[in-house]
Amino acid sequence: MRVLLVEDDRMIGEAVDQALKEATYAVDWVRDGQTALNTLETQDYGLVLLDLGLPKKDGLEVLQSMRLRKNNVPVIIITARDALEERVRGLDAGADDYLLKPFEMAEVLARMRAVVRRKGGIAGPTLTNGVLSLDPVTREVSFNGEPKQLSAREYSLLHALMVRPGAILSRAELEDRIYGWNEEVESNVVEFLIHALRKKLSAEAIKNVRGVGWMVSREK
Ligand code: CA
């Protein structure tokens, strides 16, 4: 999943950026509100972590503009402002959750999973589709009840497909979800990962729609 981190504090930004990458998220980090808005115009994200006190444009303004433009990406506000009024304004402006600094990364990651689950209308933490199951908390993947060892990128790609079973994702969309800006996309990486996943799971686990992209079929 690709995450936009909007944070002007260098130390906090670096810590969150690194922790998210370690948790296998693709992360783009911007340091002011205007750049955040520009970025959201051209790039799709699974989630936004948004600081409120930002240069150029306040986080609350960013959030209001996003929602006005019908951008419904889940947003978690991360801020040092602990006044009740600020929290209420943030939630009223369309934030999905709120974290006060200083925070523990374990909590940030747990809140992110919860928000993504709620937005996706998924009740439990585990994604299941037929005999395939994926647990976003433990990162365990199993096929036919058998645990499978996946690399970080294999996991990210499978997660992107399993969050939206039945949806066809193009190569560019998949690359988007598994790489951040400053990471160089290796050529044919999507084909390579799909090949590896099919080998580890089953040849039918991921379907190719010729000329369009790949999907995990929706199964009970
Ligand atoms: Ca700030």
Side-chain angles (χ1 to χ4, degrees):
M1 192 175 87
R2 190 167 180 144
V3 176
L4 180 66
L5 169 63
V6 192
E7 171 60 79
D8 61 321
D9 183 290
R10 193 193 164 93
M11 263 173 63
I12 296 173
E14 271 173 5
V16 175
D17 181 58
Q18 195 189 341
L20 292 179
K21 282 177 180 154
E22 277 167 18
T24 75
Y25 290 104
V27 190
D28 297 331
W29 174 18
V30 298
R31 293 160 178 80
D32 70 80
Q34 190 54 53
T35 308
L37 271 183
N38 298 346
T39 305
L40 285 159
E41 286 284 286
T42 53
Q43 179 70 52
D44 280 335
Y45 291 94
L47 186 135
V48 178
L49 287 175
L50 180 66
D51 181 27
L52 287 185
L54 289 168
K56 294 187 187 165
K57 209 177 252 303
D58 190 75
L60 209 54
E61 279 178 71
V62 172
L63 182 58
Q64 283 160 344
S65 303
M66 282 171 66
R67 295 315 191 209
L68 269 176
R69 295 175 195 182
K70 306 279 177 231
N71 187 332
N72 288 320
V73 60
V75 172
I76 299 178
I77 287 177
I78 45 170
T79 183
R81 300 180 191 177
D82 56 359
L84 175 67
E85 193 191 328
E86 289 289 347
R87 251 177 294 171
V88 171
R89 281 177 65 201
L91 292 167
D92 280 346
D96 297 276
D97 204 351
Y98 215 101
L99 271 163
L100 292 179
K101 294 172 188 169
F103 45 71
E104 295 287 332
M105 269 319 292
E107 186 178 8
V108 178
L109 295 169
R111 298 272 189 112
M112 286 171 62
R113 292 190 294 267
V115 162
V116 168
R117 246 182 359 247
R118 283 204 298 273
K119 281 262 167 161
I122 302 157
T126 305
L127 301 175
T128 54
N129 196 46
V131 292
L132 190 56
S133 88
L134 180 149
D135 185 334
V137 179
T138 59
R139 302 189 168 272
E140 281 166 353
V141 171
S142 72
F143 189 80
N144 258 332
E146 215 182 294
K148 300 289 176 184
Q149 289 293 327
L150 303 187
S151 72
R153 293 222 199 277
E154 287 165 5
Y155 173 88
S156 296
L157 190 146
L158 185 64
H159 181 266
L161 291 170
M162 284 190 70
V163 167
R164 294 176 61 204
I168 303 165
L169 297 184
S170 68
R171 172 184 294 116
E173 287 169 328
L174 287 169
E175 284 174 354
D176 251 20
R177 281 165 178 75
I178 56 181
Y179 285 98
W181 284 333
N182 37 18
E183 295 174 291
E184 203 179 321
V185 180
E186 301 138 79
S187 61
N188 296 326
V189 68
V190 170
E191 284 85 350
F192 180 79
L193 293 172
I194 301 262
H195 178 74
L197 281 167
R198 283 180 173 153
K199 223 168 160 181
K200 289 181 182 180
L201 306 172
S202 105
E204 282 83 50
I206 297 166
K207 300 201 166 42
N208 176 230
V209 182
R210 202 171 287 276
V212 187
W214 293 267
M215 66 183 279
V216 165
S217 330
R218 189 187 288 275
E219 285 170 42
K220 289 211 170 135

